[in-house]
């Protein structure tokens, strides 16, 4: 007996069973070991950074006499200067991100993307970074007020478009950018975005979110494929015959995303919504640390 399946899940029903967005983001952020996130170098500040040998231009009041007493030369006690960086985040608001396979009880990609973005924002704000959004446009800011703004903007995130591409929004000078999407759209706008970012010295990371069904393509027999908006439809009697071609195309797309990211000095990571989000958050946090400079 042929099986008829529709690729349009009841994302709204799933979302109502999930914990509040901010609470989930707080729990996710708490699962990642935090640390200093700014660029550290000598300057004005309160935190001790290092001792260095005194030079002819150093004022006498800067010499640390206790440290100098243990040596034949004088040493200056330097404090740490944290240069807060701006990190801009883009969460794909398109209809495609609302997908979740109804039979598996995984959260929609859009929910995971928003929780991931908020959890990352919490970590960065705690590290005195400035965080903003590319869409809807929210200039980078810091502190509890900015966190509330980020939450409000991401909670109401939506778009009528089937698939999303990064907007042509201003990028932070020498800052960092995070793009979270399934990246199923035409890759040309993404390539143009990354080329523009590289030209401005902006580094960042791409996180591709996929539902486990989108990774495995477990369909057979009669199947109807339909976009989340219903604008695109395809029905086949032998869905299993498409599996090989689909998986090959998916592999090609991920290879392209990795190549585009690499050419811009960015990093790429694919994450399944069926896996713990803490793994993706930790990867993102480390990727931004490596890209700081």
């Amino acid at each position: 007996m042929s099986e008829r399946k529709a690729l349009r899940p009841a994302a709204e029903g799933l979302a109502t069973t999930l914990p509040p967005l901010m609470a989930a983001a707080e729990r996710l952020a708490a699962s990642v070991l935090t640390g200093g996130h700014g660029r550290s170098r000598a300057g004005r500040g309160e935190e001790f950074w290092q001792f260095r040998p005194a030079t002819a231009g150093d004022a006498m009041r800067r010499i640390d006499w206790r440290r100098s007493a243990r040596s034949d030369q004088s040493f200056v006690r330097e404090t740490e200067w944290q240069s807060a960086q701006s990190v801009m985040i883009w969460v794909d608001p398109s209809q495609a991100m609302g997908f979740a396979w109804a039979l598996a009880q995984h959260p929609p990609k859009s929910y995971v993307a928003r929780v991931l973005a908020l959890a990352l924002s919490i970590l960065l704000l705690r590290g005195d970074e400035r965080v903003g959004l590319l869409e809807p446009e929210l200039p980078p800011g810091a502190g509890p007020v900015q966190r509330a703004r980020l939450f409000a903007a991401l909670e109401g995130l939506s778009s009528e478009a089937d698939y999303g591409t990064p907007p042509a929004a201003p990028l932070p000078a020498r800052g960092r950018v995070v793009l979270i999407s399934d990246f199923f759209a035409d890759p040309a706008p993404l390539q143009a975005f990354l080329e523009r970012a590289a030209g401005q010295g902006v580094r960042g990371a791409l996180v591709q979110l996929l539902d486990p069904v989108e990774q495995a393509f477990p369909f057979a027999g009669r199947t109807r494929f339909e976009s989340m908006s219903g604008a695109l439809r395809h029905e086949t009697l032998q869905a299993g015959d498409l599996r090989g071609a689909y998986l090959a195309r998916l592999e090609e797309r991920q290879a392209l995303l990795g190549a585009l990211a690499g050419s811009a000095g960015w990093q790429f990571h694919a994450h399944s919504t069926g896996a713990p989000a803490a793994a993706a958050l930790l990867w993102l946090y480390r990727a931004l640390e490596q890209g700081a400079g």
Side-chain angles (χ1 to χ4, degrees):
M1 181 178 177
S2 63
E3 185 177 2
R4 184 181 181 88
K5 301 169 184 170
L7 280 183
R8 186 166 184 173
E12 296 83 0
L14 279 174
T16 61
T17 67
L18 297 169
L21 188 61
M22 181 55 80
E26 289 278 6
R27 285 197 294 272
L28 180 56
S31 70
V32 172
L33 181 64
T34 61
H37 217 306
R39 292 174 295 171
S40 300
R41 62 174 182 264
R44 298 178 60 184
E46 298 179 356
E47 296 295 326
F48 169 74
W49 183 41
Q50 67 175 5
F51 289 113
R52 66 166 176 80
T55 62
D58 290 324
M60 292 293 292
R61 67 177 182 276
R62 297 192 60 198
I63 295 177
D64 188 288
W65 297 108
R66 181 176 297 180
R67 172 65 181 86
S68 300
R70 302 198 304 268
S71 177
D72 294 332
Q73 64 182 127
S74 298
F75 284 87
V76 170
R77 180 186 182 91
E78 290 189 328
T79 54
E80 183 180 81
W81 181 73
Q82 293 288 339
S83 176
Q85 298 192 21
S86 292
V87 180
M88 299 296 288
I89 301 174
W90 177 68
V91 174
D92 185 347
S94 68
Q95 295 289 306
M97 291 294 289
F99 177 73
W101 184 236
L103 301 181
Q105 295 300 301
H106 295 307
K109 293 181 289 185
S110 59
Y111 179 84
V112 176
R114 288 179 294 161
V115 170
L116 185 58
L118 276 173
L120 178 64
S121 299
I122 291 169
L123 292 179
L124 294 174
L125 291 172
R126 286 176 181 171
D128 295 324
E129 302 276 11
R130 294 167 55 82
V131 184
L133 298 176
L134 293 178
E135 183 183 12
E137 190 171 339
L138 176 63
V145 172
Q146 184 69 0
R147 186 173 79 162
R149 290 170 178 160
L150 289 164
F151 170 69
L154 289 172
E155 188 181 38
L157 194 67
S158 65
S159 171
E160 297 300 319
D162 265 320
Y163 303 101
T165 57
L171 301 179
R174 297 178 302 281
R176 289 161 290 163
V177 172
V178 172
L179 306 181
I180 306 175
S181 172
D182 56 18
F183 296 110
F184 282 164
D186 177 0
L190 174 63
Q191 181 176 0
F193 180 95
L194 292 175
E195 290 174 351
R196 177 166 67 96
Q200 297 179 19
V202 174
R203 297 293 180 264
L206 309 179
V207 176
Q208 183 186 42
L209 288 183
L210 297 176
D211 186 273
V213 163
E214 294 173 327
Q215 294 176 308
F217 199 86
F219 307 109
R222 187 177 182 183
T223 305
R224 185 182 72 240
F225 300 95
E226 183 176 307
S227 69
M228 291 298 294
S229 68
L232 303 174
R233 298 177 182 177
H234 176 74
E235 188 167 345
T236 178
L237 296 177
Q238 298 295 333
D241 294 343
L242 303 176
R243 182 177 295 113
Y246 171 85
L247 294 177
R249 289 289 298 274
L250 179 60
E251 184 177 355
E252 290 174 3
R253 175 55 61 97
Q254 292 181 328
L256 175 62
L257 292 171
L260 291 176
S263 65
W266 287 41
Q267 299 185 60
F268 169 71
H269 179 70
H271 179 75
S272 169
T273 57
L281 178 60
L282 183 59
W283 179 90
L284 254 180
Y285 192 71
R286 289 173 174 170
L288 290 182
E289 284 185 327
Q290 294 169 9

